[in-house]
């Protein structure tokens, strides 16, 4: 009996020794296999290393121990103050925007296993601040900043229905500054003479209308004539293809904006109108101004079977001398020539005139509203809506020597801003992050977008304070490790360079660990069973 227990005791010791020997062998095998996987990844250039020759880049997994620069996890983007305008010295801080620009990634090495991955383009995006506005106007949407390719819409408070637009492209607002004017409310149409036209001149008088004291009151919006104010019968042109209109208003005026609408009778039912072309040829106020069409529209049906055609014109003085001449010789006549392919009959539907805004009654002190202030500049008010002085903003320095220390914009005779702006460039900037593959390194991560950058010109741009770089894996099946965004702060990029891990290597190590755990559990069960025997 004693011999049996001794035999069982020594047998258990042997089994126990064999059990722990198996566990040690399994652990050594796991470690050895992990090293093989790691070395294999290095041999195949699938790990991420430091960005080549790029200041400010640090690898998330392979940091240089001698690199003492501390990474910052986050940075607050610069806050934008609301625009302030007053008669005292006030700062307006704005920024311009830029168009979407694409830049190719660096080409992969021909020996790289990622050479088959197509290089994708990088979106480079700037932004804009307040685009400026004419006096007595509304802008939509109202925002502190506007993204690339975003468009703003202007509407005038006193000149109805006209919508004007500007678009943010490559750090600047594109499109001319919109124009608004003061629509007449006390300067009605009094006489209308309609002629048949030939070669741009009146040939014979067809009809005339005396509207003096015959127009009904209308207070909804400013106008010189709308059809419902003269309900007795329409002001109609008939009997010809081409017409010459001579419209006379009550008082001489300096006319800057015109909206005129004609309603073509039976336009929807007359077969001849289906292929007909109707248009306004010219609009003339006097010899001192050029009137150019800025928009047109049609509304159908309008008053039974007619179609209404709307036209908007801006009339600006040809020169400063012409502007002052016109002030001395203002007229009260507007001449309009129309043309058609076939004889046509149409009515005057709307006639709205607007004068330019001015600080006095004789138009010699025009006002232009608020100017656009480009990126890197600040504006201070000298005379509200008339005159502003421009200097470089914080973190920008002037690089030109034009016109002394301060440059100004002055509201001109044509309601445009006149003057020279300083050229200002950033004093601090970040280096562009370069991820170039070579014989020893292949990057699995890429930059797909920069935003809030500063454009030097139409093609050159630089990252400045607040600019952001966005990262992603080249292969979407890989696992992204790190932070997606790095921010330029005082000349350095925050955070470390992110990395991407191939899914295959992660799965191999996970499967090896799982099988090892199963072997240990199985060995434990066998040992427990033998000990219980």
């Amino acid at each position: 009996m004693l011999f049996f227990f001794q035999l069982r005791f020594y047998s258990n010791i042997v089994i126990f020794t064999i059990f722990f020997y198996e566990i040690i062998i399994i652990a050594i095998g796991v470690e050895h296999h992990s090293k093989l996987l790691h070395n294999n990844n290095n041999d195949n250039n699938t790990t991420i290393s430091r960005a080549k020759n790029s200041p400010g880049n640090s690898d998330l997994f392979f940091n240089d121990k001698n690199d003492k620069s501390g990474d910052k996890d986050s940075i607050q983007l610069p806050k934008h103050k609301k625009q302030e305008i007053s008669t005292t010295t006030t700062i307006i801080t704005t920024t311009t925007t830029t168009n979407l620009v694409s830049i190719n990634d660096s080409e992969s090495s021909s020996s790289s296993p990622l050479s088959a991955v197509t290089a994708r383009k990088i979106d480079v995006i700037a932004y804009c601040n307040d685009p400026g506005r004419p006096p007595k106007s509304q802008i939509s949407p109202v925002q502190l900043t506007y993204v690339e390719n975003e468009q703003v819409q202007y509407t005038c408070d006193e000149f109805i229905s006209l919508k004007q637009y500007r678009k943010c492209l490559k750090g600047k607002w594109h499109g001319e500054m919109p124009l608004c004017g003061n629509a007449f409310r006390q300067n009605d149409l009094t006489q209308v003479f309609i002629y048949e036209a030939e070669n741009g001149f009146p040939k014979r008088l067809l009809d005339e209308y005396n509207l003096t004291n015959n127009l009904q009151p209308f207070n909804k919006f400013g106008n010189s004539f709308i059809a419902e104010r003269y309900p007795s019968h329409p002001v109609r042109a008939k009997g010809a293809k081409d017409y010459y209109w001579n419209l006379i208003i009550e008082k001489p005026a300096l006319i800057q904006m015109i909206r005129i609408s004609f309603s073509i009778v039976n336009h929807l039912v007359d077969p001849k109108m289906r292929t007909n072309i109707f248009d306004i040829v010219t609009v003339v106020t006097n010899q001192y101004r050029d009137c150019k069409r800025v928009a047109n529209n049609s509304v159908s049906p309008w008053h039974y079977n007619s179609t209404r055609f709307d036209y908007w014109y801006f009339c600006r003085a040809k020169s400063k001398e012409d502007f002052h001449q016109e002030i001395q010789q203002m007229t009260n006549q507007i001449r309009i020539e129309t043309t058609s392919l076939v004889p046509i009959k149409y009515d005057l539907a709307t006639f709205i005139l607007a004068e330019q805004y001015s600080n006095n009654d004789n138009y010699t002190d025009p006002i232009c509203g608020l100017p656009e202030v480009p990126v890197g500049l600040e504006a201070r008010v000298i005379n509200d809506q008339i005159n502003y002085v421009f200097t470089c903003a914080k973190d920008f320095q002037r690089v030109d020597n034009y016109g002394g220390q301060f440059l100004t914009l002055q509201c001109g005779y044509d309601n445009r801003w006149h003057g020279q702006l300083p050229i200002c460039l950033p004093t601090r900037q970040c280096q562009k992050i370069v991820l170039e593959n070579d014989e020893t390194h292949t990057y699995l991560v890429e930059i797909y977008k920069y935003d809030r950058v500063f454009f030097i010109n139409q093609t050159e741009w630089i990252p400045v304070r607040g600019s952001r770089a966005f990262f992603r894996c080249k292969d979407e099946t890989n696992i992204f490790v790190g932070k997606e965004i790095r921010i330029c702060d005082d000349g350095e990029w925050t955070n470390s360079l992110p990395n991407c891990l191939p899914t295959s290597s992660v799965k191999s190590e996970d499967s090896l660990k799982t099988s090892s755990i199963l072997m240990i559990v199985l060995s434990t069960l066998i040992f427990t069973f033998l000990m219980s025997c």
Side-chain angles (χ1 to χ4, degrees):
M1 189 70 177
L2 178 62
F3 174 76
F4 173 76
F5 282 108
Q6 288 178 342
L7 179 62
R8 182 176 179 181
F9 174 75
Y10 288 115
S11 299
N12 289 340
I13 291 176
V14 172
I15 293 172
F16 185 77
T17 303
I18 294 173
F19 169 73
F20 278 102
Y21 175 77
E22 289 180 352
I23 292 177
I24 293 172
I25 292 299
I26 291 171
I28 293 174
V30 170
E31 182 180 1
H32 178 68
H33 190 73
S34 297
K35 288 182 178 179
L36 288 177
L37 281 175
H38 183 71
N39 292 335
N40 186 51
N41 287 338
N42 286 336
D43 293 338
N44 290 319
N45 294 326
T46 55
T47 57
I48 306 300
S49 61
R50 183 179 306 279
K52 181 180 179 182
N53 299 326
S54 298
N57 292 342
S58 54
D59 191 277
L60 186 61
F61 298 105
F62 302 95
N63 278 331
D64 187 351
K65 294 181 180 180
N66 295 325
D67 186 4
K68 299 181 180 179
S69 60
D71 291 328
K72 301 177 183 179
D73 292 333
S74 64
I75 180 175
Q76 187 174 3
L77 292 178
K79 296 182 179 179
H80 301 279
K81 297 180 180 179
K82 293 185 178 180
Q83 178 172 286
E84 299 178 358
I85 296 291
S86 68
T87 54
T88 59
T89 302
T90 308
I91 301 295
I92 308 173
T93 304
T94 67
T95 317
T96 40
T97 61
T98 69
N99 242 346
L100 202 66
V101 179
S102 296
I103 298 177
N104 288 328
D105 278 334
S106 302
E107 295 183 359
S108 300
S109 171
S110 58
S111 61
S112 168
L114 292 178
S115 58
V117 178
T118 304
R120 288 177 283 191
K121 293 183 178 180
I122 301 175
D123 291 335
V124 181
I125 302 173
Y127 70 101
C128 297
N129 279 359
D130 195 305
R133 64 199 69 189
K136 297 188 179 181
S137 65
Q138 305 297 322
I139 187 173
S140 177
V142 178
Q143 300 170 180
L144 290 178
T145 60
Y146 299 84
V147 299
E148 189 79 16
N149 288 320
E150 191 165 8
Q151 186 171 260
V152 292
Q153 174 184 288
Y154 294 82
T155 54
C156 300
D157 294 343
E158 298 179 340
F159 190 78
I160 67 167
S161 302
L162 178 62
K163 293 179 173 59
Q164 304 172 67
Y165 301 88
R166 301 191 80 195
K167 191 174 185 179
C168 176
L169 298 172
K170 293 187 178 180
K172 295 182 180 179
W173 285 102
H174 284 243
E176 189 172 16
M177 180 69 74
L179 186 65
C180 288
N182 182 24
F184 295 142
R185 290 181 177 270
Q186 303 295 329
N187 200 353
D188 289 341
L189 186 63
T190 57
Q191 288 183 292
V192 178
F193 297 92
I194 304 174
Y195 300 85
E196 182 181 5
E198 185 176 65
N199 298 323
F201 294 95
K203 179 180 178 182
R204 62 186 178 94
L205 181 64
L206 298 176
D207 216 333
E208 62 179 291
Y209 297 86
N210 185 359
L211 307 179
T212 305
N213 299 323
N214 289 326
L215 298 182
Q216 296 181 358
F218 186 90
N219 297 320
K220 187 179 294 185
F221 54 84
N223 69 88
S224 294
F225 175 88
I226 56 174
E228 61 187 270
R229 296 183 64 190
Y230 191 62
S232 57
H233 57 275
V235 178
R236 176 170 294 179
K238 57 183 183 295
K241 294 190 298 182
D242 301 332
Y243 294 96
Y244 185 97
W245 292 67
N246 188 14
L247 305 170
I248 301 176
I249 57 178
E250 185 178 344
K251 296 174 289 188
L254 195 153
I255 299 169
Q256 181 174 254
M257 306 173 73
I258 299 174
R259 174 190 166 177
I260 188 165
S261 303
F262 293 115
S263 175
I264 300 180
V265 180
N266 294 327
H267 183 263
L268 300 179
V269 296
D270 189 344
K272 293 183 294 183
M273 295 294 105
R274 295 176 184 174
T275 57
N276 185 46
I277 297 176
F278 170 80
D279 201 5
I280 292 180
V281 179
T282 58
V283 172
V284 178
T285 58
N286 54 49
Q287 69 269 32
Y288 304 113
R289 288 184 173 262
D290 280 331
C291 294
K292 295 183 179 180
R293 185 189 303 177
V294 294
N296 58 273
N297 184 41
S298 63
V299 179
S300 180
W302 175 260
H303 289 180
Y304 307 105
N305 295 319
S306 67
T307 298
R308 193 191 75 205
F309 291 85
D310 305 323
Y311 302 87
W312 288 267
Y313 284 81
F314 288 172
C315 303
R316 297 183 189 265
K318 298 177 182 178
S319 67
K320 190 173 183 178
E321 292 73 20
D322 286 322
F323 173 72
H324 290 291
Q325 280 288 110
E326 183 185 16
I327 291 176
Q328 303 299 322
Q329 304 176 31
M330 289 187 294
T331 66
N332 63 340
Q333 297 187 43
I334 300 92
R335 293 173 290 278
I336 300 172
E337 183 185 356
T338 70
T339 185
S340 172
L341 296 179
V342 298
I344 192 172
K345 179 169 57 176
Y346 63 87
D347 302 334
L348 178 63
T350 306
F351 189 54
I352 301 174
L353 306 174
E355 60 185 350
Q356 70 182 61
Y357 291 108
S358 178
N359 277 332
N360 52 34
D361 294 334
N362 60 6
Y363 305 106
T364 57
D365 192 15
I367 59 176
C368 292
L370 305 179
E372 170 195 349
V373 183
V375 178
L377 299 184
E378 290 179 346
R380 289 180 292 175
V381 178
I382 297 177
N383 193 353
D384 189 23
Q385 303 192 72
I386 296 175
N387 198 1
Y388 293 82
V389 62
F390 285 78
T391 57
C392 293
K394 182 182 178 182
D395 295 331
F396 285 80
Q397 64 181 0
R398 189 169 173 182
V399 295
D400 70 302
N401 55 4
Y402 176 85
Q405 183 178 1
F406 301 103
L407 297 179
T408 62
L409 287 186
Q410 176 76 36
C411 180
Y413 65 92
D414 54 357
N415 283 107
R416 292 186 175 102
W417 292 102
H418 293 258
Q420 178 74 29
L421 292 175
I423 300 175
C424 300
L425 294 180
T427 56
R428 299 296 300 272
Q429 66 185 70
C430 290
Q431 297 293 325
K432 296 178 183 178
I433 301 173
V434 181
L435 302 176
E436 291 185 354
N437 296 327
D438 56 25
E439 295 179 355
T440 59
H441 302 299
T442 298
Y443 293 99
L444 302 182
V445 69
E446 67 178 358
I447 299 173
Y448 68 91
K449 181 174 69 173
Y450 284 97
D451 74 356
R452 305 183 71 85
V453 303
F454 177 82
F455 271 87
I456 300 173
N457 51 43
Q458 289 295 309
T459 57
E460 297 181 73
W461 59 273
I462 53 177
V464 295
R465 183 190 296 272
S467 296
R468 300 184 296 178
F470 294 78
F471 295 82
R472 67 185 174 194
C473 293
K474 290 183 179 179
D475 186 345
E476 296 179 355
T477 63
N478 288 352
I479 298 174
F480 187 88
V481 181
K483 294 191 175 181
E484 181 189 0
I485 300 175
R486 301 183 72 184
I487 302 174
C488 178
D489 177 28
D490 199 24
E492 295 182 357
W493 291 102
T494 63
N495 305 326
S496 300
L497 186 68
N499 197 356
C500 290
L501 298 179
T503 308
S504 57
S505 64
V506 176
K507 288 183 178 179
S508 298
E509 291 191 15
D510 288 344
S511 60
L512 177 61
K513 291 178 182 178
T514 302
S515 60
S516 301
I517 292 172
L518 290 175
M519 292 178 65
I520 292 173
V521 172
L522 181 60
S523 300
T524 303
L525 292 175
I526 295 173
F527 174 75
T528 304
F529 174 76
L530 292 175
M531 290 294 293
S532 63
C533 294

